[in-house]
Amino acid sequence: MPKQTLTTNTNTDAINWYGGDGTLAASGTFSSGSLKLQASIDNGTTFFDAKDADGNALTLTADGGLSFSVAPCKLRALLSGATAAAGTAQAENLSLSGPSAVAATVAVLFLANPALGNTITVSSGTSRTYTFTATSGTNNIVLGANLSATLTAIAAKLVADGYPTVASLGTTLTFTAATAGTAGNANTVQLVGASPFFSGTGNYNYSGGKAAGVLTASGNITLSIVSALAGTFTLSVPVLQGDTLPTWIRKIAESLHNDNRISRFYDIYFVVSESGNIGNVNLIKRSPFTANDATLSVTAANGTPSPALPATYSSANETSGVATTPSITVLIEER
């Protein structure tokens, strides 16, 4: 069985060579350097250049390979004369926001015109009780001649006092939370009175509010990846109705992290803003760094079935990559 070692960007790694014919091959960025095969017969304390029959050092200055025959020793490949640069990791940023926030609502059904003295209490951040009367006042709603007129008066009074409401549609009055999002679910409308109100006395809770970024349908998010290193391919990420922004962004990041085609070249990170309205998935090039890949991109779009993302999200180059130099992959193998 051939004995071999694979090293990257190193001059210190050495292998035990059991003697015989072998091949040294190298590929990468030499940065004007020379890669020499060196041997040690004192267990790695001192290394000297391995030479051919004419006394020339076994050297590579560009991608290629050479043959050698060396007695038992330690072997290494030493790069010298190279222009070194630490390089910069390329960073690609995929910014995601998802669906807009949805305000919570409650629909109140009236069967007939309320009576004098009946009350309606509205809670939408703050709570206030109004009494149906014949005359106007701070906490009064003037009772109309019929149900339609009364509902119009309710809507006008609440809007004037800062309680968002939608005017009547037939015999129904719909209230909408002042702030979109799940906080609206704590709001209520309470009715106290006799038979004119639906069920006499009712306590109606707002519902249906969703915070920004919450998915409104279960389905799949399709990730499309283009990379000079990883190739071009797609991933399907299952998501669920009700997944919050941090939840489905984490699923995207995990899908990228678990795919060896991309994760062997890039570290995957994700972060969500304190407001929870926007998040980012970042691809950071692993060392050794390579020159900037202008083709690198990740897009997130609705798959099948669609989770109702409001847009197709495309990544952008956040930090341009600068290659680490030298960057050489070395192979020493028995023939």
Side-chain angles (χ1 to χ4, degrees):
M1 179 68 69
K3 48 184 180 291
Q4 58 185 9
T5 183
L6 188 66
T7 61
T8 303
N9 287 335
T10 178
N11 291 328
T12 58
D13 290 348
I15 63 167
N16 292 317
W17 187 256
Y18 300 107
D21 298 336
T23 299
L24 167 67
S27 176
T29 304
F30 282 71
S31 302
S32 302
S34 298
L35 187 73
K36 294 182 179 181
L37 182 68
Q38 293 194 322
S40 172
I41 58 175
D42 56 5
N43 200 34
T45 300
T46 304
F47 280 90
F48 55 86
D49 295 345
K51 299 181 179 181
D52 61 19
D54 297 322
N56 300 312
L58 299 178
T59 304
L60 292 172
T61 58
D63 292 0
L66 52 83
S67 298
F68 63 86
S69 183
V70 177
C73 62
K74 278 188 175 292
L75 286 180
R76 74 177 183 185
L78 177 71
L79 182 70
S80 59
T83 302
T88 302
Q90 181 172 355
E92 190 77 6
N93 178 51
L94 177 63
S95 183
L96 303 154
S97 57
S100 300
V102 177
T105 61
V106 61
V108 179
L109 174 66
F110 294 78
L111 296 183
N113 204 13
L116 293 173
N118 292 161
T119 63
I120 179 170
T121 300
V122 180
S123 172
S124 182
T126 58
S127 181
R128 179 176 290 186
T129 298
Y130 296 88
T131 302
F132 294 101
T133 63
T135 58
S136 62
T138 300
N139 293 321
N140 294 348
I141 296 176
V142 176
L143 196 64
N146 52 43
L147 178 59
S148 178
T150 299
L151 296 186
T152 300
I154 293 172
K157 184 66 171 177
L158 295 181
V159 169
D161 286 353
Y163 293 99
T165 181
V166 177
S168 61
L169 177 61
T171 59
T172 301
L173 198 61
T174 301
F175 298 83
T176 303
T179 303
T182 55
N185 288 327
N187 299 333
T188 61
V189 175
Q190 185 179 29
L191 308 172
V192 178
S195 58
F197 290 105
F198 179 58
S199 298
T201 298
N203 192 12
Y204 302 84
N205 295 312
Y206 285 54
S207 64
K210 291 183 176 64
V214 174
L215 298 181
T216 58
S218 297
N220 293 288
I221 295 175
T222 297
L223 300 180
S224 299
I225 296 94
V226 177
S227 167
L229 295 173
T232 300
F233 58 96
T234 61
L235 297 173
S236 185
V237 183
V239 292
L240 299 174
Q241 178 181 356
D243 275 358
T244 61
L245 186 77
T247 297
W248 61 267
I249 286 182
R250 174 179 53 79
K251 290 179 178 180
I252 288 176
E254 288 178 347
S255 181
L256 291 168
H257 174 76
N258 292 334
D259 191 281
N260 184 57
R261 288 169 292 185
I262 195 77
S263 62
R264 67 189 174 122
F265 296 112
Y266 298 94
D267 288 316
I268 312 298
Y269 302 94
F270 78 96
V271 63
V272 177
S273 66
E274 289 186 9
S275 66
N277 294 335
I278 193 168
N280 298 288
V281 175
N282 298 104
L283 280 66
I284 310 295
K285 179 66 180 68
R286 292 179 182 272
S287 179
F289 306 135
T290 53
N292 194 62
D293 177 7
T295 68
L296 180 63
S297 69
V298 180
T299 60
N302 288 309
T304 304
S306 170
L309 291 179
T312 295
Y313 302 98
S314 298
S315 66
N317 183 262
E318 192 169 69
T319 303
S320 295
V322 177
T324 298
T325 55
S327 177
I328 301 175
T329 298
V330 178
L331 176 69
I332 299 175
E333 185 176 38
E334 181 183 15
R335 287 187 295 161

